[in-house]
């Protein structure tokens, strides 16, 4: 019988897709699993990315014994700089994941302070009271691992992001043997990927992409551009192989694409023969039919290569008629609108665009329903905590678990911040710790509140109005005619009446003997009036100077 309780604290990735982070706590010891980021939703203008809220750990930083990173995707590694800023603990990762972490840390100037430890799938490491066994899992990036964590309270298995692909690009399937071995040892709790829990059947193997790419390469007469994530190393390999089969050279385009492929090649996870790869400059000088460019920007991000190409604002080259553009990725939920807009614009510029609705140029890296059930059968956990997914995914995962015989009371469907405790082999779902979004805006962390977001939204959608008035504090009157300047709001020559009306409102409010909050009241009243009159909400700013 154990005296202390084991706690599992999901800090990100439960109830949402992205920013995965989880802590396992036993007495005075904490193990962190993953430090991911999430990309902002459409309505969060000007936000670069969102990191997990790990306030829970801040008064326990000296108890953190280690940080384990399961694989190199942004939603698992992206927040590492921000976590290391507060928590100095050794990091454990496989060679490729470590390489990608180093790229991130170097960019943030944090590499020299980081205590990075390379582990390989199959290794076992003691981290405080936790014995962590790393096992290989298939995913859309090589060198991913899941974790078997032996704690004083029992064995926990964490799946990482996984699929059961029998013919993966790197020829290295998920370690079924290890999973079965955990199962025979007795697993107290399984924490498993829920991303595709609403997809019936089995996720297709990465192998199905090759013939689809061949088909596109065979038909394309001009240049081929392949858009994918810079961290989708397996897909980049497949694109490179297709180019080699069809006698084209490849060039990598985009900073993160160039950096990631460089490190993956150096470590042996990306195999591109020397004469296959050329620089972008060389590629642009070659006949279009001999070239394939592998670039970033499948989510329609305006600053990515494909995003810039779609708006004709890329520096080095433009889309030309005859280009074939392959989008080899799936839309991250919420990005669909932006992606479709980008696809339409690329068509407008004369390119032929192939995306996964048209041809199987993408497969998911996550397990579908039959694979999830298979994992449950192999591991045979007493308790299940579905992780990595929106609430609907977590709920669906729970339904699958009930199908294979796990009692409903042994499944904890919880969102970020809910404490789950284990004692004497029993699971208890505890309170939810407060937490929310932490926004990262360039270099600023955390202090971009919703108000700033709302202001940016107004600015982007409806422009702004600045009012300048000269106020006589003795007579409580506005001197002369308040000056009104607007940008992006209305066509000024046609807004004379509207602005005259605004000036009436300003004069009236300014003459109120109660001068408290006068500027604020004018801003509010004008906003209201502009909305009523124009159905738009510009940002209104009042500046006043005083004469005595
Ligand atoms: Zn992943
Ligand atoms: Zn993930």
């Amino acid at each position: 019988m154990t005296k202390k309780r084991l706690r599992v604290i999901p800090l990100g990735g439960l109830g949402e897709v992205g920013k995965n982070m989880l802590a396992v706590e036993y007495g005075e010891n904490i193990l962190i699993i993953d430090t991911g980021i999430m990309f902002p939703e459409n309505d969060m203008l000007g936000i670069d990315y969102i990191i997990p809220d790990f306030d829970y750990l801040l008064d326990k930083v000296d108890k953190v014994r280690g940080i384990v990173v399961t694989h190199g995707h942004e939603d698992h590694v992206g927040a590492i700089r921000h976590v290391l800023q507060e928590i100095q603990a050794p990091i454990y990762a496989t060679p490729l994941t470590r390489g990608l972490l180093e790229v991130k840390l170097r960019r943030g100037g944090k590499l020299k302070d980081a205590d990075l430890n390379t582990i390989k799938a199959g290794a076992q490491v003691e981290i405080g009271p936790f014995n962590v066994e790393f096992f290989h899992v298939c995913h859309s990036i090589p060198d991913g691992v899941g974790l078997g964590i032996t704690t004083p309270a029992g064995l926990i298995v964490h799946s990482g992001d996984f699929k059961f692909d029998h013919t993966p690009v790197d020829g290295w399937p998920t370690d079924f043997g290890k999973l079965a071995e955990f199962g025979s040892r007795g697993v107290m709790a399984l924490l498993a990927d829920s991303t595709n829990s609403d997809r019936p059947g089995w996720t297709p193997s990465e192998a199905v992409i090759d013939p689809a790419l061949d088909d596109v390469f065979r038909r394309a007469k001009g240049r081929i551009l392949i858009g994918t994530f810079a961290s989708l190393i397996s897909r980049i390999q497949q694109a490179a192989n297709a180019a080699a089969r069809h006698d084209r050279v490849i060039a990598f385009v985009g900073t993160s694409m160039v950096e990631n492929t460089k490190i993956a090649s150096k470590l042996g996870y990306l195999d591109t023969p020397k004469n296959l790869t050329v620089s972008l400059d060389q590629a642009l000088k070659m006949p279009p039919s001999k070239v394939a460019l592998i670039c970033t920007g499948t989510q329609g991000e305006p600053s990515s290569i494909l995003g810039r190409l779609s708006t004709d604002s890329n520096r080095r080259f433009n889309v030309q008629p005859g280009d074939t553009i392959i989008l080899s990725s799936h839309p991250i939920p919420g990005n669909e609108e932006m992606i479709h807009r980008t696809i339409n614009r690329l068509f407008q510029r004369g390119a032929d665009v192939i995306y996964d609705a048209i041809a199987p140029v993408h497969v998911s890296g996550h397990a579908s329903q039959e694979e999830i059930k298979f994992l449950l059968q192999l591991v045979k956990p007493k308790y299940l905590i579905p992780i990595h997914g929106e609430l609907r995914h977590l709920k669906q995962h729970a339904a699958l678990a009930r199908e294979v015989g796990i009692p409903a009371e042994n499944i904890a469907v919880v969102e970020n911040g809910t404490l789950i405790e284990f004692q004497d082999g029993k699971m208890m779902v505890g309170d939810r710790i407060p937490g929310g979004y932490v926004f990262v805006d360039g270099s600023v962390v955390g202090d971009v509140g919703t108000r700033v977001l709302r202001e940016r939204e107004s600015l982007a959608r409806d422009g702004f109005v600045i009012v300048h008035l000269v106020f006589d504090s003795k007579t409580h009157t506005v001197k002369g005619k308040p000056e009104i300047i607007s940008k992006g709001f209305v066509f000024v020559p046609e807004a004379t009446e509207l602005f005259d009306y605004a000036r009436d409102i300003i004069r009236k409010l300014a003459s109120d003997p109660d001068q408290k909050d006068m500027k604020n009241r004018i801003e509010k009243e004008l906003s209201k009036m502009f909305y009523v009159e124009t159905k738009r909400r510009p940002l209104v700013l009042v500046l006043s100077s005083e004469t005595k």
Side-chain angles (χ1 to χ4, degrees), residues 297-310:
T298 58
Q299 300 300 306
E301 314 94 300
S303 62
S304 67
I305 299 294
L306 286 183
R308 291 202 301 245
L309 285 173
S310 76

Side-chain angles (χ1 to χ4, degrees), residues 20 71 73 75-76 139 161 366 388:
N20 298 295
H71 63 284
H73 281 159
D75 58 324
H76 298 258
H139 186 38
D161 280 353
H366 298 271
H388 304 171

Side-chain angles (χ1 to χ4, degrees), residues 399-432:
L400 297 172
R402 289 196 301 273
E403 271 179 48
V404 301
I406 298 186
E409 62 272 22
N410 286 13
I411 305 168
V413 173
V414 300
E415 294 184 87
N416 297 339
T418 305
L419 302 178
I420 299 169
E421 297 187 317
F422 295 92
Q423 192 172 31
D424 302 331
K426 285 206 172 55
M427 178 173 74
M428 291 148 288
V429 177
D431 299 330
R432 194 159 178 193

